[in-house]
Amino acid sequence: MIGFETLLRWLDLAGIAVFAASGALVASRKQLDLVGFMLIAAVTGFGGGTVRDLLMGRTPVFWLRDPALLAVASAVGVLVFFTAHRIENRFRALLWADAVGLALYAVLGAEIALVGGVAPWAAVLLGVATATFGGVLRDVVCNEIPLLLRKEVYALAALAGAAAFVLLRMHGIWRDTALLAGMALCLAIRAAAIARGWSLPAYAARRD
Amino acid sequence: MIGFETLLRWLDLAGIAVFAASGALVASRKQLDLVGFMLIAAVTGFGGGTVRDLLMGRTPVFWLRDPALLAVASAVGVLVFFTAHRIENRFRALLWADAVGLALYAVLGAEIALVGGVAPWAAVLLGVATATFGGVLRDVVCNEIPLLLRKEVYALAALAGAAAFVLLRMHGIWRDTALLAGMALCLAIRAAAIARGWSLPAYAARRD
Amino acid sequence: MIGFETLLRWLDLAGIAVFAASGALVASRKQLDLVGFMLIAAVTGFGGGTVRDLLMGRTPVFWLRDPALLAVASAVGVLVFFTAHRIENRFRALLWADAVGLALYAVLGAEIALVGGVAPWAAVLLGVATATFGGVLRDVVCNEIPLLLRKEVYALAALAGAAAFVLLRMHGIWRDTALLAGMALCLAIRAAAIARGWSLPAYAARRD
């Protein structure tokens, strides 16, 4: 199982890198400076897990206990600062990478919450929060209406993945199997939404 | 006293429903989708109590321990999504219901803080935070300047109610009596402000 | 050493006053009312330390344990409400006072974190957070892109001061000496940035 733990570690760092990159790309649209890129990269990469840790009372929060995470987020911020003019043309590639991060964080966040002792339904919610709040904080700090609020299938995909993982664990399935199944479900839904442009109808004012 | 506890429970759920509805109405102005309605409803309904719990170190926060609260907020979000075109014409009714929620949360928030062991003046502040921060978070996430910051008598009413409750408790008055007195004071002030259009003057740049 | 502790206490209150004033000046630009001035003053004065305390799990947060801090922030909010039309002409004086607050909070925040038992590199980060997040929250609540994100030498000065303090402490230097050295370094860098208009280049979209 050491091989699996090592894979998880690399996937975790990859998730931070991808979310940090999405934050830094928003920073490039706002024409911030280098410190701004690094800050937004870190907020986007760590925001979801930080909210989860605070709501659970799991302090000090996770990124204060592992300097590698900060190193990755900062490095991505710097990298995007110098290369964003190229990456911007690859928005679609980022969208797919972001879907991987979403799948990873929704399920890993739910597992951390479950191990921390909260109820299963609460663990599902905290998984969704882990996967989505980094992006919400990114948009709030950059003064935009959070994209999450406009892309229904984004949060729904995280919800499906986290719920599948928790249900499988409740029924005695091995952790590794449940993790992979939850991630696969979330990724499949999100991928279909991207590929087919799925979205649920937004509210539009109607008069009787 | 069981009757009183039951009443408090229903008032508590009613408070969540009212604040969740105010959040969902803002979501309708922003033309968000169904998930957006549910998220903003939950943020507005739970935001104040979450900030109170985090500042006090009372974790996991309250709504992670009681699934009924989430069910109410989500249901209200869905309900408003399909009926907002009718409710919008009833803004004034909502304003009054919101005043009831304000009175309830200011006093119940102060009691939770007092029971949690903070100083009386801090309990008053945490009561005001419980009553007002849900609306602040709603407006920040939706990218508007918080209404609270423009409606002085809103925060002042919460302050008066929470302070009255804490003072009565400090002088040995029964909890139930102090709760009702604090709520009545807050509601009376806010009702007068709504009915008469009270507001304190805003700052306007002056030059000597 | 009692003299030094007393000096720190006064510097701490002065730091709150200065940051509260910067918040109230933003409130005057937004033409908020008196309660708005007091709220923004408190958010700006306490925001950085609150984020530090929450991330570390140091609750109840500091300002719930010391009523003098709230009294200072509120009084400054009221004072600026009635005098902002004069202070606005003194923006440059405020910029300098703010630099003093930045130096103080970066180093004192790092010390609180270090005493709280986090790793040295994390203490440096928490010092920077203490010094800068009050201003970030001020700008987010007032619906502006945080100034911090546009003024690189601001966060860098806090980083240098906090890092110098932590490094000196790691090498066995007395606390008082390390505090003063860290503050002096932060203040010197920020002062140079203000006096000479230093700033690092912002990202500007480039096409290959």
Side-chain angles (χ1 to χ4, degrees):
Chain A
M1 284 300 116
I2 287 174
F4 192 77
E5 293 297 331
T6 305
L7 177 64
L8 277 185
R9 172 69 175 172
W10 282 102
L11 287 174
D12 197 16
L13 292 176
I16 285 175
V18 170
F19 279 129
S22 86
L25 283 174
V26 172
S28 77
R29 281 206 291 276
K30 295 285 177 178
Q31 308 204 357
L32 304 182
D33 62 27
L34 184 56
V35 169
F37 272 66
M38 294 169 71
L39 282 173
I40 301 290
V43 162
T44 312
F46 301 155
T50 301
V51 168
R52 177 201 62 216
D53 283 359
L54 291 180
L55 293 175
M56 292 176 63
R58 192 167 168 270
T59 52
V61 298
F62 72 102
W63 50 271
L64 285 177
R65 292 173 292 187
D66 184 353
L69 308 181
L70 189 74
V72 168
S74 302
V76 168
V78 172
L79 192 69
V80 173
F81 183 78
F82 289 110
T83 62
H85 56 298
R86 294 181 193 168
I87 296 176
E88 278 178 308
N89 300 326
R90 295 176 191 166
F91 179 73
R92 201 151 183 90
L94 186 88
L95 209 57
W96 285 97
D98 176 84
V100 175
L102 186 80
L104 195 69
Y105 273 30
V107 175
L108 289 179
E111 203 224 1
I112 289 172
L114 214 50
V115 171
V118 305
W121 64 270
V124 173
L125 278 189
L126 289 171
V128 175
T130 306
T132 59
F133 262 85
V136 171
L137 288 176
R138 173 196 63 207
D139 294 339
V140 166
V141 170
C142 289
N143 206 8
E144 302 193 334
I145 291 185
L147 271 178
L148 166 67
L149 297 177
R150 297 189 176 279
K151 298 194 300 185
E152 186 155 9
V153 182
Y154 194 83
L156 277 188
L159 183 64
F165 166 74
V166 170
L167 280 174
L168 291 173
R169 288 296 283 155
M170 292 297 99
H171 288 81
I173 306 296
W174 282 359
R175 191 192 69 152
D176 300 354
T177 309
L179 282 170
L180 291 177
M183 287 176 198
L185 179 61
C186 175
L187 188 56
I189 294 174
R190 181 71 188 130
I194 294 174
R196 306 190 175 196
W198 282 355
S199 75
L200 293 191
Y203 174 81
R206 291 155 291 181
R207 299 288 161 193
D208 286 347
Chain B
M1 284 301 115
I2 286 174
F4 192 78
E5 292 298 328
T6 304
L7 177 65
L8 277 185
R9 172 69 175 172
W10 281 103
L11 287 175
D12 196 17
L13 292 176
I16 285 175
V18 169
F19 279 128
S22 86
L25 284 174
V26 173
S28 77
R29 282 205 291 275
K30 294 285 176 177
Q31 309 207 357
L32 303 182
D33 62 28
L34 184 56
V35 169
F37 271 67
M38 293 169 71
L39 282 173
I40 302 289
V43 162
T44 312
F46 302 154
T50 301
V51 167
R52 175 201 63 216
D53 283 359
L54 291 180
L55 294 175
M56 289 176 65
R58 192 168 168 270
T59 52
V61 298
F62 72 102
W63 51 270
L64 286 176
R65 290 173 293 188
D66 185 353
L69 307 182
L70 188 74
V72 168
S74 302
V76 168
V78 172
L79 192 70
V80 174
F81 182 79
F82 288 110
T83 62
H85 55 298
R86 294 182 191 165
I87 297 176
E88 278 178 307
N89 301 325
R90 296 175 190 166
F91 179 72
R92 202 153 181 90
L94 185 89
L95 208 57
W96 285 97
D98 176 85
V100 175
L102 185 80
L104 195 69
Y105 273 29
V107 175
L108 289 179
E111 205 224 1
I112 288 172
L114 213 50
V115 170
V118 305
W121 65 269
V124 173
L125 277 189
L126 289 171
V128 175
T130 305
T132 60
F133 261 85
V136 171
L137 288 175
R138 173 195 65 206
D139 294 338
V140 166
V141 169
C142 288
N143 206 7
E144 302 193 333
I145 290 185
L147 271 177
L148 166 67
L149 298 177
R150 299 190 176 278
K151 297 194 300 184
E152 188 155 8
V153 181
Y154 195 84
L156 276 187
L159 183 64
F165 166 74
V166 170
L167 280 174
L168 290 173
R169 289 294 284 155
M170 293 296 101
H171 288 81
I173 306 296
W174 282 0
R175 191 192 69 150
D176 299 355
T177 309
L179 281 170
L180 291 177
M183 287 177 198
L185 180 61
C186 175
L187 189 55
I189 294 174
R190 181 72 188 128
I194 294 174
R196 307 191 175 195
W198 283 354
S199 76
L200 293 191
Y203 174 80
R206 291 158 289 181
R207 298 288 162 192
D208 284 348
Chain C
M1 284 300 115
I2 288 175
F4 193 77
E5 291 299 329
T6 305
L7 176 64
L8 277 186
R9 173 68 174 171
W10 282 102
L11 286 175
D12 197 17
L13 292 176
I16 286 175
V18 169
F19 279 128
S22 86
L25 283 174
V26 172
S28 77
R29 282 206 291 275
K30 295 285 176 177
Q31 309 206 357
L32 303 182
D33 62 28
L34 184 56
V35 168
F37 271 67
M38 292 169 71
L39 281 173
I40 301 291
V43 162
T44 312
F46 301 156
T50 300
V51 168
R52 176 202 61 216
D53 283 0
L54 291 179
L55 294 175
M56 290 176 64
R58 193 168 167 269
T59 52
V61 298
F62 71 101
W63 51 271
L64 286 176
R65 291 174 293 189
D66 185 352
L69 307 182
L70 189 74
V72 168
S74 302
V76 168
V78 172
L79 192 69
V80 173
F81 182 78
F82 288 111
T83 62
H85 56 297
R86 294 183 190 166
I87 295 174
E88 280 178 306
N89 301 327
R90 295 176 191 167
F91 179 72
R92 202 151 181 89
L94 185 89
L95 208 57
W96 284 97
D98 176 84
V100 175
L102 185 80
L104 195 68
Y105 274 29
V107 175
L108 289 179
E111 204 225 0
I112 288 171
L114 213 50
V115 170
V118 304
W121 65 269
V124 172
L125 277 189
L126 289 171
V128 175
T130 305
T132 60
F133 262 84
V136 171
L137 288 174
R138 173 195 63 206
D139 294 338
V140 166
V141 169
C142 289
N143 206 9
E144 302 194 335
I145 291 185
L147 270 178
L148 166 66
L149 297 178
R150 298 189 177 280
K151 297 193 301 183
E152 187 156 6
V153 182
Y154 194 84
L156 276 188
L159 183 64
F165 167 74
V166 170
L167 279 174
L168 291 173
R169 289 296 282 155
M170 293 296 100
H171 288 81
I173 306 295
W174 282 1
R175 192 191 70 152
D176 300 356
T177 308
L179 282 170
L180 292 177
M183 288 177 197
L185 180 61
C186 175
L187 189 56
I189 294 174
R190 181 72 188 128
I194 295 173
R196 306 190 175 194
W198 282 354
S199 75
L200 292 192
Y203 174 79
R206 292 157 289 180
R207 298 287 161 195
D208 284 347

